[in-house]
Amino acid sequence: METYNNVNKASKEEQKIAIQSYDALSSVIKELKSNNPEIEIDETQERIKIPLSALKLLGEILEAMSKGKPFSLVPIATEVTTQKAAEILGCSRPHFVKLLEEGKIDFTKVGKHRRVKFEDVMNYKRKMKETQKKHIIEIMQSDEEIGLYDT
């Protein structure tokens, strides 16, 4: 399994193909009744059973590709270094270590090295974005109340 180091970004040609493929796959998925449908590879005529959840994941990948968004597959239990986690959050490693030491993100120590679950880093990032959004709304409301913001 590749880690987020191998973030993939679709080329323009891949984006065009992904748009067509996503539209077709998403409409087919809605019609499926089996949890393990069979798909056929046109070039080889080989039929493969694939879990419905894997097809849905493929649909999410195609959707991201069609929009030109970078994507990566990372196993949930993957642990990352403090440097990699800091890169994910867009902060310095010392700042990230401070977040760990303050107990804002769980971690384990392997020898003298800290390891953090990728899932925990992403949960922190999501909470951070939610807090930022809340603060922006509060600032806009405050500006509106004192007449600085015109709706």
Side-chain angles (χ1 to χ4, degrees):
M1 177 73 54
E2 296 183 32
T3 65
Y4 82 97
N5 285 334
N6 299 318
V7 174
N8 301 292
K9 189 162 194 258
S11 67
K12 292 293 181 190
E13 181 63 27
E14 289 171 327
Q15 270 185 270
K16 289 177 187 174
I17 295 169
I19 290 169
Q20 297 165 350
S21 301
Y22 172 70
D23 291 341
L25 183 60
S26 62
S27 64
V28 166
I29 287 174
K30 292 175 188 172
E31 303 293 322
L32 294 175
K33 293 177 181 30
S34 167
N35 284 331
N36 297 306
E38 255 185 55
I39 62 169
E40 184 175 325
I41 307 300
D42 195 37
E43 285 184 25
T44 63
Q45 282 73 46
E46 187 173 346
R47 297 180 68 78
I48 302 168
K49 277 194 184 235
I50 185 165
L52 182 58
S53 58
L55 276 177
K56 288 179 179 178
L57 179 60
L58 177 58
E60 290 177 26
I61 292 168
L62 290 171
E63 182 179 25
M65 286 179 78
S66 71
K67 295 177 180 176
K69 292 181 178 178
F71 67 92
S72 181
L73 293 178
V74 180
I76 293 293
T78 296
E79 290 183 337
V80 293
T81 65
T82 53
Q83 182 61 46
K84 299 295 182 198
E87 289 171 11
I88 292 168
L89 294 181
C91 66
S92 68
R93 193 191 65 76
H95 177 73
F96 183 77
V97 170
K98 183 179 170 189
L99 293 174
L100 296 178
E101 298 301 329
E102 291 173 350
K104 295 186 178 176
I105 303 172
D106 291 334
F107 69 97
T108 56
K109 258 192 159 175
V110 179
K112 63 179 185 167
H113 300 284
R114 295 172 189 86
R115 294 285 185 248
V116 186
K117 287 184 181 175
F118 178 81
E119 179 180 26
D120 291 341
V121 175
M122 295 309 291
N123 284 338
Y124 180 81
K125 185 174 185 174
R126 180 184 45 77
K127 288 176 190 171
M128 190 173 65
K129 294 288 184 193
E130 288 172 3
T131 301
Q132 288 172 345
K133 185 176 179 179
K134 186 178 120 192
H135 283 62
I136 288 170
I137 290 170
E138 288 171 357
I139 290 169
M140 287 172 59
Q141 288 172 343
S142 173
D143 286 354
E144 194 173 297
E145 287 172 7
I146 60 174
L148 295 176
Y149 183 73
D150 195 18
T151 54

